[in-house]
Amino acid sequence: MSELETLLEQKLIDQLVYGDSQWTYRSDLKTEEDLWKNFKYILEQNNKDRLNGEMLSDSEFEQVKNQLQFSSFFKAGEWLVGENGKVMVHVQRDTEKLHLVVMNHEHIAGGSSVYEVINQYRAFDENEKNTYSRNRRFDVTLMINGLPMIHIELKNKQHSYMDAFWQIKKYIGEGKFTGIFSAVQMFVISNGVDTKYFSAASDTELNPKFMSGWLDRDNNPVSDYLDFTKSVLRIPTAHEMIARYTVLDEDSKRLILLRPYQIHAIESIRDASKIGKSGFVWHTTGSGKTLTSYKATRNLLMDIPSLDKTIFLIDRKDLDTQTSQAFQSYANNDLIDVDETGNVNDLKNKLKSNDRQVIVTTIQKLQRLITKRLQEGTPEYIKIKNLKIAFVVDECHRAVTPATKRELEKFFGKSMWYGFTGTPRFAENPYPQLGDLPRTTEELYGQILHRYTIQNAIHDNAVLGFQVEHIGPKNLVDETDSEIYENEVHMMNVLDVILNKSYHKLGFQNGKGMTYEAILTTSSIQMAQKYYDLLKKVKNGETDIIVNEKMKQVLPDFPKFAITYSVTENEEGSFVNQNKMKESLDDYNQMFSTTYDLSQIQIYNDNLNKRLARKDAKYKSRREQLDLVIVVDRLLTGFDAPCMSTMFIDRQPMGPHDLIQAFSRTNRIFDSDKKYGQIVTFQAPILFKEAVDNAVKLYSAGGTKDAIAAEWNEVESAFRKALASLRISAKTPEEIPSMSKKEKEVFVKMFQNFDRLFAQLKSFTNYDDSMLENYDITQEEYDNYAGHYKNILEWLKSERITSEEIEPVSPQIDYDYELVAYSHTKIDYEYIINLIQNIVTSEYINEEITPEERQKKIDEVKQYIEELGKENYKVADIMSNIVYQIEVDKSKYRGQSILNIIENMKQECIDNVVSEFCQTWYASKEEVLYAATHYRNKEIPNESAIKATIDYATYKQTQENPLPKFKYYNKMMSELRNIMEEEIKPLLSR
């Protein structure tokens, strides 16, 4: 470790223990044995009464240690939630069960809490033979009551803080965070000038996108490591990060550490509530408001003893989205039960009960309760009316109207209100005038308590910016004339853009199952249904528009689409609409093997939401995915689907708040290829551009620079310059291998810039592959550059790493950059089969086709099969054989299904492989065939059944040198696994 790094470490420790800090530096704790002894001492001191003065025996402490060997950081997080605020271990002492308190979250910065700092912990087993692996020392670790909770890795200022990130990832992979260190919940990394924090996760789940820098309350970065230490690692904040600002996401089984703006919002609400003040939080849409509002609701009840209840209020329509489910997922392991209310009586009983609890309910139920279910003057009326309640309102403008809020405030005279919104109502966009009702958010809720705008969120990489294209008809006298747009010609032009000019917008470069989704929003249900009908015609080949082959190569079933709306969304609920809806439900049922009817619209909508969100594992499969959903207003607010990349808008401009809400469906962070939320408008281009600019300025509290990406002309110009710079660094790909290290570093930097702009250029609807000729570069040339780039980057990385020392980072190169213009596309199996089928079918129906055209089709298929062969040579061999036979004999396979033929050939190959194996090893063919068809994730499902049906006696008789029985079983199963991986698995894939 260099001297500079030692100095950083010492300064950090000095800062932690400075002044009246409660942190104590323990220079004597260096090994796991030291830590266990220290933990045991603290545990015994804090539980003297429970232990009756008798210290833990070795065997009793072994029981404790066994309870603290967590299989994952998430499991440790579940344990740290505690029982009624107390984190416990349990020891059996003779006939008595001892319940010992490890940590008490009520004792933050006092009581039984002990705060200690250690450094240079030796994170290795003395018995390890690998000296390289043994050379592992942790920089600085913060312990609460003897348990490591926060771990800090430092690099000196010549290095990137990311080197510390990769080091932690490596240590986790090596199993260094086990034993007592398996309790860690938070990591901090820094190179002195840049500091980040993130929640603990396995090495495979650790992702740089979950890192966060610290911000002060005004959203100014706090990046210096000593300033970060003062802000975040002091007591009580460090303990609160673990106890109050960590969330267990039950759905994804991962820890979430709140970002600084979320923490500041919660603290601002807490401070306001202590003096009985209401207010609102402006956090831009997509920045995690539901999570923040959940923690605010929960923490209020813990922090303000005078509160009887906290109520999280949502609109009924939010039950139609994900707010309720997300809230429940966060609350599943929490200290306080979160009670959803099933009906109005249920809500009444929960309000009457003496339990202090968080209640999740809808505004509609609450209104019904106070207006229709409570009788004035009754004991329950008086009790409920006098409750001291804090209301937290998610999407506060959609959930509660000014009139409803006034009605509720009149009834609950002792209430405080905290609204969350991404799109506040200002003087520029107020509610319509209705008597003396409030018209702005401030008038409605009180002063703003915390602000985090689009600009802030984009700067922090919490959300993406927007790339907006206005491609509606130009030079119109009246851009608002509906006749221009409500006709089939216009609508087919819209569909052509969606289906044939959105390859990169929809992430087709990522390959099957990894593509993105889009929303098409229209002005009315009638127009939405017309679009649905037109899409069906396009898909059935009944229009002039044909989905191009480039799209079908990736997704032969593209587009898969659906329609959704609330029947009450407008006044068009006619008989025709009902029939149309039934037809679209039938299509959906056929596509996904569901059984929804008109009486189950709510359930259908819930299923559609989950399918679009793709958070459940089953929806990651292509067969369960949609590409496009047609909506009017539904899903334009409160809907979170990170894989939603694009919104196509065929309607007139909406108001500022509605525009930003709608846009924000697309700008959630998803993968490295998704760089922007993509917006394409098809009406009123001049009015729309003005509306978008005004909306973004309003909700950025400033300009549009960060929020709106550059337009085509600017990107195209930058792309040309980047290509010229790339050519200067390496005129052709062929000259790259002979360049010097310095020249290669320059090339890598130039290529990264070029790749970024190339990907952005491709995402515009203007772009077409044929343009490359004008730019004087071919796709093949780009691929060759990319191949050299990847080799050089790996070489440069390996050059940087020698033992534990890492060379200074070149300021020119982003070592973590991932190519975004590079296509990962694989030609789909079914697409190739369709191409072969088309050749056979054209022969069958005597289609007029010249020998040259026929050969061209055959040569095209051969190219695709050759490409497939790089991934799956076995299936490619079967296809090649079939194409050869068709090439020789025109009538071969005439009138037959190529899919069935290939599937049968694959099955025959599997059968032959299995038969040969069974003859060699005297195994049951029935059992081995079962294993072959059910083989998943390198697991043989019926291993014991195969062993039980083996005919070892016959094997022994027929072999000259038979293996002993146990060796026979081991070798046979090893051989079977090899055959499954190498011979059978490729034949099972499609």
Side-chain angles (χ1 to χ4, degrees), residues 165-436:
F165 175 85
W166 299 122
Q167 186 168 313
I168 287 172
K169 190 179 175 82
K170 179 171 65 177
Y171 286 0
I172 295 170
E174 290 175 351
K176 301 305 176 189
F177 284 90
T178 53
I180 197 165
F181 263 85
S182 65
V184 167
Q185 299 286 282
M186 173 176 166
F187 289 115
V188 177
I189 55 176
S190 181
N191 67 344
V193 292
D194 278 313
T195 308
K196 307 289 180 185
Y197 71 93
F198 50 96
S199 58
S202 71
D203 59 323
T204 55
E205 293 173 324
L206 216 56
N207 192 321
K209 77 178 182 182
F210 295 132
M211 290 193 310
S212 181
W214 189 254
L215 307 170
D216 65 19
R217 281 208 177 190
D218 297 320
N219 299 311
N220 299 310
V222 178
S223 54
D224 179 85
Y225 78 118
L226 295 180
D227 292 336
F228 179 92
T229 303
K230 292 174 197 172
S231 301
V232 184
L233 300 182
R234 63 186 174 85
I235 300 298
T237 310
H239 194 154
E240 287 178 331
M241 292 297 286
I242 305 304
R244 297 191 175 184
Y245 301 133
T246 302
V247 177
L248 295 163
D249 187 337
E250 182 65 23
D251 288 345
S252 63
K253 294 283 188 267
R254 71 178 181 90
L255 299 171
I256 300 173
L257 267 169
L258 297 192
R259 289 175 179 258
Y261 60 86
Q262 295 174 306
I263 293 169
H264 292 319
I266 292 165
E267 289 177 341
S268 298
I269 289 173
R270 180 177 64 192
D271 294 345
S273 66
K274 284 179 178 176
I275 56 173
K277 210 171 89 172
S278 298
F280 76 96
V281 171
W282 169 15
H283 279 189
T284 190
T285 304
S287 61
K289 282 196 308 303
T290 300
L291 179 54
T292 314
S293 56
Y294 155 62
K295 269 295 186 184
T297 311
R298 168 206 179 277
N299 284 9
L300 271 173
L301 204 57
M302 293 177 64
D303 293 334
I304 314 298
S306 60
L307 283 175
D308 296 310
K309 314 274 181 186
T310 54
I311 295 181
F312 184 73
L313 261 188
I314 54 178
D315 181 71
R316 182 174 53 226
K317 280 184 291 209
D318 281 329
L319 295 174
D320 198 27
T321 61
Q322 298 156 309
T323 304
S324 177
Q325 294 96 314
F327 201 98
Q328 199 58 49
S329 177
Y330 303 143
N332 205 53
N333 294 287
D334 226 327
L335 290 168
I336 294 172
D337 288 332
V338 176
D339 289 291
E340 290 186 81
T341 55
N343 53 51
V344 177
N345 283 333
D346 185 34
L347 173 61
K348 182 172 71 173
N349 291 334
K350 283 183 166 60
L351 288 170
K352 278 166 56 181
S353 87
N354 292 324
D355 296 335
R356 296 182 74 242
Q357 62 190 152
V358 174
I359 298 171
V360 183
T361 193
T362 65
I363 188 70
Q364 290 83 0
K365 281 180 196 157
L366 198 60
Q367 259 187 308
R368 209 173 307 129
L369 173 69
I370 67 171
T371 57
K372 296 183 178 177
R373 297 290 178 88
L374 289 177
Q375 190 175 340
E376 192 170 350
T378 61
E380 65 180 15
Y381 177 93
I382 293 166
K383 178 167 187 176
I384 292 173
K385 185 175 175 62
N386 286 320
L387 287 172
K388 187 166 186 185
I389 296 177
F391 288 99
V392 178
V393 192
D394 192 35
E395 297 294 354
C396 63
H397 291 300
R398 187 170 73 249
V400 185
T401 65
T404 302
K405 183 169 181 291
R406 179 173 286 182
E407 181 183 25
L408 291 171
E409 281 179 305
K410 189 176 177 184
F411 181 84
F412 293 104
K414 297 180 179 178
S415 61
M416 293 180 290
W417 290 76
Y418 303 102
F420 279 79
T421 179
T423 47
R425 296 278 188 162
F426 299 110
E428 295 92 332
N429 64 321
Y431 279 111
Q433 181 80 52
L434 283 172
D436 66 341

